[in-house]
Amino acid sequence: MELNDFVSQNEPDETGERFELENSKLLDIDVDGTVIAKVGSMIAYDGDLSFTGKSSAEGGIAGMIKSKVTSEGTPVMEIDGRGHVYLADQEKKIQILELGAGESISVNGNDVLAFEDRVDYEIGTIGSLGGASAAGLLNVFLSGPGTVAITTHGDPLVLSPPVRTDPDATVAWSGNLSPSLKSDRSLKDSIGQSSGETYQMSFDGSEGFVVVQPFEERTPQA
């Protein structure tokens, strides 16, 4: 490939959208004000932008932060100013979702990449099972209107309840669902207690959706 062709084929494709995929694993956000993004996801930026880490553990999106920025939480940052910021997360695929007024989605804390500051958010945890890798799952409840970017390892699969899922493969679910953590005695007896598959997230009801990925990812814990 000629050098000029390489440059022209891989330079940013500006369409005027605030959240735009440059490819399936790279997000371009046209910042004019404030957006919220996962710490460590910025790979490049231009313009006049400032980055402010959120370190308080009291309420709001800052509730995702623990005193130690480790797997205990998902550190986030505010990006302020005007310019373009380019985000990626370990080559995970990026899904851009447009939430309308009254629409909401709950996302595994590890799978939130970015969202507009007009999106309302609430941090919570889901149950606890002693010794389970999913003990105290951290999730982010996002309410529209506004744009949200989440990540998945590979192409997502969207299922309808009632369904049970592996917590480490569960990415998100519709805001009307309230999952609980269950232990499957038959799986425990057949494959051993140490396997994470002995614990599932149980989604009941007949409406809504659940997003899973073809990968088991260690989830942040409360």
Side-chain angles (χ1 to χ4, degrees):
M1 179 183 292
E2 296 290 335
L3 182 58
N4 287 340
D5 292 337
F6 172 79
V7 172
S8 62
Q9 288 184 26
N10 292 284
E11 62 186 359
D13 182 17
E14 304 299 346
T15 64
E17 296 291 333
R18 191 178 191 195
F19 280 51
E20 177 183 357
L21 289 178
E22 294 298 340
N23 57 57
S24 64
K25 302 174 183 179
L26 201 161
L27 176 66
D28 173 5
I29 301 180
D30 184 358
V31 182
D32 186 4
T34 302
V35 296
I36 309 296
K38 184 175 183 179
V39 163
S41 62
M42 187 275 290
I43 63 169
Y45 72 93
D46 60 37
D48 183 15
L49 297 179
S50 63
F51 301 82
T52 306
K54 308 291 287 184
S55 59
S56 169
E58 298 180 359
I61 191 67
M64 299 175 72
I65 310 304
K66 302 297 183 179
S67 58
K68 297 179 180 179
V69 182
T70 65
S71 60
E72 294 179 357
T74 302
V76 295
M77 58 187 172
E78 286 186 352
I79 305 173
D80 298 287
R82 297 189 65 179
H84 285 261
V85 64
Y86 302 93
L87 307 178
D89 186 12
Q90 301 180 23
E91 292 190 293
K92 294 166 69 175
K93 285 194 170 184
I94 299 169
Q95 320 292 333
I96 299 177
L97 309 177
E98 298 290 343
L99 299 180
E103 291 185 323
S104 59
I105 187 171
S106 191
V107 186
N108 184 305
N110 202 41
D111 299 318
V112 176
L113 181 63
F115 55 89
E116 292 183 295
D117 64 338
R118 64 179 176 143
V119 172
D120 289 330
Y121 45 80
E122 182 179 348
I123 312 305
T125 57
I126 304 169
S128 177
L129 287 173
S133 63
L137 285 176
L138 181 69
N139 70 298
V140 187
F141 188 82
L142 302 165
S143 301
T147 306
V148 173
I150 66 175
T151 57
T152 62
H153 284 280
D155 293 326
L157 176 68
V158 179
L159 302 170
S160 299
V163 66
R164 285 194 176 190
T165 64
D166 183 332
D168 292 333
T170 307
V171 175
W173 52 94
S174 54
N176 64 301
L177 296 177
S178 298
S180 58
L181 291 174
K182 303 289 186 181
S183 177
D184 191 310
R185 174 65 64 180
S186 62
L187 279 173
K188 184 180 296 184
D189 292 340
S190 63
I191 63 180
Q193 185 171 353
S194 61
S195 173
E197 293 176 352
T198 63
Y199 302 98
Q200 295 100 42
M201 298 179 72
S202 179
F203 296 88
D204 299 318
S206 58
E207 297 182 353
F209 61 87
V210 182
V211 183
V212 295
Q213 62 186 359
F215 184 89
E216 294 184 5
E217 181 177 24
R218 290 286 295 184
T219 53
Q221 300 177 14

